[in-house]
Amino acid sequence: MNQVIDTILSHRSIRKFTEQPISDQQLEAILNAARAASSSSFIQCVSVIRVTDTEKRRLLAEYAGGQAYVETCAEFLVWCSDFSRHVQIKPDAKVGFAEQTLIGAVDTALMAQNAMLAAESMGLGGVYIGGLRNNPDKVCELLKLPEHVYAVFGMCLGHPDQDPEIKPRLPKSIMVHDNDYKRIDEETLAEYDEQVREYYQTRTGGNKSTSWTEQISATLDKEARPFMKDFLRRKGYLKF
Amino acid sequence: MNQVIDTILSHRSIRKFTEQPISDQQLEAILNAARAASSSSFIQCVSVIRVTDTEKRRLLAEYAGGQAYVETCAEFLVWCSDFSRHVQIKPDAKVGFAEQTLIGAVDTALMAQNAMLAAESMGLGGVYIGGLRNNPDKVCELLKLPEHVYAVFGMCLGHPDQDPEIKPRLPKSIMVHDNDYKRIDEETLAEYDEQVREYYQTRTGGNKSTSWTEQISATLDKEARPFMKDFLRRKGYLKF
């Protein structure tokens, strides 16, 4: 259709990279793309930590649950929600509301997605690393993130050394609703489940055969990082 | 540099649209772009409500604080965090964690940004409508959003009938940090403040002259939607 839509539709997470570095010009373009995103009320509550220190990379890979590509990828960026800047400028700034937790997460994601697409448009690839939230306090300590700043997620970027298939997404008829929310259609879900099962079978040479229903059921059978609420409060979020 | 990066860097919010509709093919491309975004643990916790009903549009414009373009734009999409689907599939799903509030906000924003860029790549324009969170309960009621679903933000899309300047963003040296978080540099901030002041002066023919420091100070002098915490709890978020 056009290069933008083609780039967007070609997205798949890349977890294996060549040793080729990302050039300064490429990194500059990626970070400028990030900065161009919309920001809620122009509040610009996002910081990016570019981690080049090898020991910090090693530790972040460990904190993320042993994801080796965090250590070895060409660039690792940590995307942070940041209201510390505002408190530096206005010490009595009213921060710490649940609303600001949302704004911080949304604005960080808008910026990061611009960065991901800019990278992909130049033939690079990457993956979001939500695993940093496995050890949110340790990440804060390592990167010296003050109160009101925390890592929403990381991002590995580099030259792809793999070419995975595109993962089938929930059908549009399930994700998009007309005027009113509607419940999931069982038949469409069953078809989609079969599609996901085939995707995993192909990708793993038959070793994995999981439907979407099975996968999300396993994921939501466990508590989701139950420590996050206290963590966010300690960092000056979710207080009010 | 390339069409993707050019599109990203050309972003500015559009709030005035011609009456020309968005074609079915364009809308299809926009929604497919949204679906192609990354999803945390493949959880796919996003729903989009496409609002075409004129009375609903009128009410949403009112709920958003009287933003008329919500009523008149070619397409209005409401981007929702959605864990209801998962509960429909697995009634004992463990949802309601602060972590899932983050995942819902992040995944919704990743999808929405793909949609925005796809639209912009076709010569359309748009604006995010965080104002829907002024009246979150009324929005839920109007769109029949069940428990575990809420509107993170709306999005107006259409053919631009204005050509505003690009707003100057925080300099890279303030937004990007190397290995450790660093405090804001006063001198760089002062230069940026002047740049923002000039931007507003040009845009308003001298009627508005506000620096970034002044603007965020005014914004953060007030409580940020203090009802959101209770609202999120009532909707089955932030319980744990």
Side-chain angles (χ1 to χ4, degrees):
Chain A
M1 203 147 180
N2 65 46
Q3 200 210 337
V4 178
I5 292 173
D6 290 345
T7 300
I8 289 173
L9 296 181
S10 309
H11 170 75
R12 59 273 195 287
S13 296
I14 297 295
R15 294 181 175 83
K16 194 159 179 270
F17 304 97
T18 70
E19 289 187 7
Q20 197 184 337
I22 289 178
S23 73
D24 291 348
Q25 292 90 324
Q26 287 174 325
L27 184 64
E28 175 90 6
I30 290 166
L31 293 170
N32 283 339
R35 292 166 55 229
S38 286
S39 165
S40 179
S41 303
F42 203 31
I43 204 90
Q44 303 189 86
C45 57
V46 182
S47 270
V48 182
I49 319 285
R50 180 190 177 208
V51 185
T52 53
D53 181 278
T54 50
E55 176 60 7
K56 288 197 180 190
R57 283 282 201 98
R58 193 187 64 73
L59 286 167
L60 289 170
E62 186 189 308
Y63 297 165
Q67 300 190 58
Y69 31 96
V70 169
E71 191 175 348
T72 56
C73 62
E75 292 288 341
F76 188 67
L77 303 175
V78 180
W79 296 85
C80 303
S81 173
D82 180 358
F83 281 92
S84 168
R85 215 148 41 208
H86 309 79
V87 174
Q88 287 170 53
I89 291 172
K90 177 181 163 69
D92 66 343
K94 291 202 169 141
V95 297
F97 293 87
E99 163 72 6
Q100 285 155 346
T101 312
L102 295 182
I103 291 177
V106 166
D107 280 17
T108 303
L110 296 181
M111 278 203 182
Q113 185 60 6
N114 270 7
M116 179 66 84
L117 291 170
E120 289 173 341
S121 77
M122 297 184 288
L124 304 170
V127 60
Y128 286 94
I129 305 292
L132 288 189
R133 297 193 305 274
N134 288 341
N135 287 290
D137 286 299
K138 285 183 181 170
V139 171
C140 284
E141 198 185 346
L142 188 71
L143 305 177
K144 301 200 169 67
L145 306 183
E147 200 187 355
H148 310 299
V149 185
Y150 78 97
V152 185
F153 47 74
M155 179 187 282
C156 298
L157 294 173
H159 291 266
D161 195 20
Q162 62 179 176
D163 187 15
E165 263 189 88
I166 294 170
K167 215 169 181 174
R169 302 303 206 273
L170 270 182
K172 208 181 71 174
S173 68
I174 289 186
M175 204 197 76
V176 183
H177 313 242
D178 284 322
N179 291 303
D180 286 327
Y181 187 89
K182 63 174 185 305
R183 288 178 60 86
I184 204 163
D185 177 70
E186 304 286 344
E187 203 172 312
T188 313
L189 178 65
E191 283 165 25
Y192 177 60
D193 271 339
E194 214 33 61
Q195 215 188 331
V196 171
R197 192 186 299 283
E198 278 165 27
Y199 161 80
Y200 280 124
Q201 279 175 339
T202 308
R203 207 187 64 159
T204 64
N207 282 332
K208 182 172 174 178
S209 167
T210 314
S211 72
W212 188 64
T213 289
E214 286 163 3
Q215 180 160 338
I216 63 150
S217 297
T219 302
L220 294 172
D221 204 38
K222 298 182 290 279
E223 295 190 328
R225 300 186 177 119
F227 48 80
M228 279 308 285
K229 194 173 181 180
D230 282 343
F231 165 77
L232 287 167
R233 275 201 198 120
R234 274 199 307 280
K235 293 298 290 186
Y237 285 84
L238 284 191
K239 281 159 66 181
F240 317 108
Chain B
M1 202 146 179
N2 65 46
Q3 200 210 338
V4 179
I5 293 173
D6 290 345
T7 300
I8 289 172
L9 296 181
S10 308
H11 169 74
R12 60 275 194 287
S13 297
I14 297 295
R15 294 181 175 83
K16 194 158 179 270
F17 304 97
T18 70
E19 289 187 7
Q20 197 185 336
I22 288 178
S23 73
D24 291 348
Q25 292 90 323
Q26 287 175 324
L27 185 63
E28 175 91 5
I30 290 166
L31 294 170
N32 284 338
R35 291 167 56 231
S38 286
S39 164
S40 180
S41 305
F42 203 31
I43 205 89
Q44 303 189 85
C45 56
V46 182
S47 270
V48 182
I49 319 285
R50 179 189 178 211
V51 185
T52 53
D53 181 277
T54 50
E55 176 61 6
K56 288 197 179 190
R57 283 280 202 100
R58 193 187 62 74
L59 287 167
L60 288 170
E62 185 188 308
Y63 297 165
Q67 300 191 57
Y69 32 95
V70 169
E71 190 174 349
T72 56
C73 61
E75 292 287 342
F76 187 67
L77 304 175
V78 180
W79 296 86
C80 303
S81 174
D82 180 358
F83 282 91
S84 168
R85 216 148 42 208
H86 309 79
V87 174
Q88 287 170 53
I89 292 173
K90 177 181 164 69
D92 65 343
K94 291 200 169 143
V95 297
F97 293 87
E99 163 71 7
Q100 285 155 346
T101 312
L102 295 183
I103 291 177
V106 167
D107 280 17
T108 303
L110 296 181
M111 279 204 182
Q113 185 60 5
N114 270 6
M116 180 66 85
L117 290 171
E120 289 173 340
S121 77
M122 297 184 289
L124 303 170
V127 61
Y128 286 94
I129 305 293
L132 288 189
R133 298 193 305 275
N134 288 341
N135 287 290
D137 287 299
K138 285 182 180 170
V139 171
C140 284
E141 198 185 346
L142 188 71
L143 305 177
K144 301 200 170 67
L145 307 183
E147 200 187 355
H148 311 298
V149 185
Y150 78 97
V152 185
F153 47 74
M155 180 187 282
C156 298
L157 293 173
H159 291 267
D161 195 20
Q162 62 178 176
D163 187 14
E165 261 188 90
I166 294 169
K167 214 168 180 174
R169 302 305 205 273
L170 269 182
K172 209 181 70 177
S173 68
I174 289 186
M175 203 197 78
V176 183
H177 312 243
D178 285 321
N179 292 302
D180 287 326
Y181 187 89
K182 63 173 184 307
R183 288 178 60 87
I184 203 163
D185 176 71
E186 303 287 343
E187 204 174 310
T188 313
L189 178 65
E191 283 165 22
Y192 177 61
D193 271 339
E194 213 35 59
Q195 215 188 333
V196 171
R197 191 186 301 282
E198 278 165 24
Y199 160 82
Y200 280 125
Q201 279 175 339
T202 308
R203 207 186 64 159
T204 64
N207 282 333
K208 181 172 174 178
S209 167
T210 315
S211 71
W212 188 63
T213 289
E214 286 164 3
Q215 181 160 337
I216 62 151
S217 298
T219 302
L220 295 173
D221 203 39
K222 299 182 289 276
E223 295 190 329
R225 299 184 177 119
F227 47 80
M228 279 307 285
K229 195 173 181 181
D230 282 343
F231 165 77
L232 287 167
R233 276 202 198 120
R234 274 199 307 281
K235 293 297 290 185
Y237 285 84
L238 283 191
K239 281 159 67 182
F240 316 108

